[in-house]
Amino acid sequence: MATALPQTPGYINFTPHGEKHQSSTLNAPFIVVNKGNLRVKILVRNILFIQAEHIYVRIYCGNNQNVLQRISLTSLLQELPRDSFLRVHRSFVVNLAYVDQWSKSAIYLKDHEIPIGRGRREAVLEKLGALSNG
C-alpha cells in the first residue's frame, strides 16, 4: 500500500550507527518515518529493499508494507549498516539478509526481482560470492 505524501518534505529520523535504543520488546537499530500524520518506527532488520523514485525513496518491509519518504537514496544508505545493505543499482539498495538467489543481472528476494546495474555488477557479484563462501 503506497502512502501519498503532502507537498511538504517528508521527515526521517535515523539512529546513529551502533547506538543502542531501549525498546519494550527489542534493542535494535531503527528508523522513524512519517506515514500520513503518524510517525512509524521501522526496524532496520525488517527492511527488504529500498527503491529510489525521483526525489523520494520507497522503503519495502518484510510484512508486505512500504513507505514513501522524501529523501535521497544516497542519504538514506549512509545511515544504514554498511555490512547489511548493498547498493546494487542506481535506484535500488537491498538488505543482504533477504537475498535468496541471484544471477548476473538480478537479485531475488521474496517475491521481488531487483536489477543489478551494469556498472555495479562486478562489485555486487563479488560481495554476494563472498557471502556465500563465508
Side-chain angles (χ1 to χ4, degrees), residues 78-121:
Q78 290 173 353
E79 301 299 327
L80 295 171
R82 291 187 182 126
D83 59 338
S84 299
F85 289 86
L86 179 64
R87 190 163 189 170
V88 298
H89 185 277
R90 73 181 178 129
S91 298
F92 290 94
V93 171
V94 298
N95 185 338
L96 294 169
Y98 290 100
V99 174
D100 295 325
Q101 304 173 42
W102 64 88
S103 68
K104 289 182 183 178
S105 60
I107 290 177
Y108 303 91
L109 28 98
K110 298 219 177 211
D111 296 330
H112 304 279
E113 179 179 342
I114 309 297
I116 298 175
R118 286 186 308 232
R120 298 177 190 274
R121 184 171 296 149

Side-chain angles (χ1 to χ4, degrees), residues 15 20-21 23-31 41-50 59-63 79-81 83-85 94-99 109-110:
T15 62
K20 298 283 185 181
H21 294 276
S23 170
S24 59
T25 57
L26 298 169
N27 278 338
F30 60 88
I31 60 174
K41 180 171 97 172
I42 299 174
L43 294 175
V44 169
R45 69 172 182 222
N46 289 342
I47 298 172
L48 286 176
F49 68 95
I50 303 161
I59 302 168
Y60 290 85
C61 298
N63 53 4
E79 301 299 327
L80 295 171
D83 59 338
S84 299
F85 289 86
V94 298
N95 185 338
L96 294 169
Y98 290 100
V99 174
L109 28 98
K110 298 219 177 211

